[in-house]
Amino acid sequence: MNKDEKRELRRKRLMENKAYQTMNGLTRYMDRYYLDALIGIIPGWGDAIALLSVVPFVYFSSRVIKSIPLTLAVLNNALRDVLMGMIPFFVGDVIDFFHRANIQNMQMIQGFVDGDETIIKQVNQRAWQSAIVLIVLLLFIALMIWALVCFGSYLYSLVTSIFL
C-alpha cells in the first residue's frame, strides 16, 4: 500500500467518523442556513448555543486528528465568533450572518484530513498566535458579559424608577 492509498484510507475513515458527520450537519444548519445568526437574536442564550456547536469540532481536531495547533485555531475561530455575536443592538447578529465560523473550521479540518500542506503550514504557524488570541478573547468575552450585565442592571433600575 503506497502513501496515497494510506492517505485515502485514512481520509475515508475520518469522514465516516460520527463527529465528522455531526460537524457537517452543524456547518450546514448553523452557517449555510444562517441558524447561527437567527439564534443569536436570543440575548446571551443564542451565543451560548452557538458556542456549544463547536464541541464536535474541538473533539475531532483534538481527539481524532490529534493536532494541538488545529484545535487552537478552531477554538480561536469559535471564540472570535462568539465575541462578535455578543455585540449588542443586533450588530452582532448581522456580523454572525457574514462571519461563518463553522465553515471556516470545517475548511481547516478538511485541509488536515486531505493533507493540504498549505492549510497545515498555515495552522501550525498560527499555533502560538492562536493561544495568545484565545486568552485575549476569553478576557474580552468576560468583559462583554460584565458590560452586558451592568447595562441590563442599569436598564432595569431605569425602568423600575420610571414605573415606581
Side-chain angles (χ1 to χ4, degrees):
M1 185 178 280
N2 66 22
K3 188 177 180 180
D4 290 334
E5 290 172 344
K6 284 182 182 180
R7 177 176 280 153
E8 188 59 34
L9 182 63
R10 180 175 185 258
R11 182 178 184 271
K12 183 179 178 186
R13 189 172 25 94
L14 289 174
M15 291 177 76
E16 290 173 354
N17 186 296
K18 193 132 181 107
Y20 187 88
Q21 294 170 0
T22 302
M23 291 183 316
N24 267 332
L26 283 170
T27 299
R28 182 174 49 251
Y29 290 109
M30 295 297 279
D31 286 348
R32 289 193 177 102
Y33 297 148
Y34 304 104
L35 189 59
D36 186 18
L38 291 175
I39 63 172
I41 293 172
I42 306 167
W45 289 103
D47 297 313
I49 293 168
L51 187 58
L52 284 176
S53 73
V54 174
V55 171
F57 292 92
V58 172
Y59 171 80
F60 194 81
S61 62
S62 66
R63 298 292 181 205
V64 178
I65 296 178
K66 297 180 180 170
S67 171
I68 292 172
L70 178 61
T71 304
L72 286 171
V74 165
L75 283 171
N76 180 357
N77 197 28
L79 290 175
R80 185 178 300 142
D81 185 54
V82 169
L83 179 64
M84 288 187 291
M86 291 176 74
I87 298 173
F89 306 115
F90 300 106
V91 173
D93 301 321
V94 172
I95 292 171
D96 271 343
F97 189 80
F98 295 104
H99 184 260
R100 298 176 179 187
N102 292 321
I103 289 175
Q104 293 170 6
N105 285 338
M106 200 66 193
Q107 289 170 345
M108 284 190 291
I109 289 173
Q110 190 68 45
F112 259 74
V113 170
D114 290 341
D116 184 339
E117 295 296 325
T118 305
I119 291 178
I120 293 171
K121 184 178 178 182
Q122 180 184 27
V123 170
N124 285 332
Q125 288 174 346
R126 293 182 183 176
W128 283 105
Q129 174 193 0
S130 294
I132 292 168
V133 169
L134 283 173
I135 292 168
V136 170
L137 286 174
L138 286 170
L139 290 173
F140 275 134
I141 288 172
L143 182 64
M144 184 66 82
I145 290 170
W146 174 79
L148 290 172
V149 167
C150 289
F151 183 68
S153 297
Y154 169 75
L155 285 178
Y156 177 75
S157 65
L158 185 65
V159 168
T160 57
S161 68
I162 292 172
F163 292 111
L164 293 179

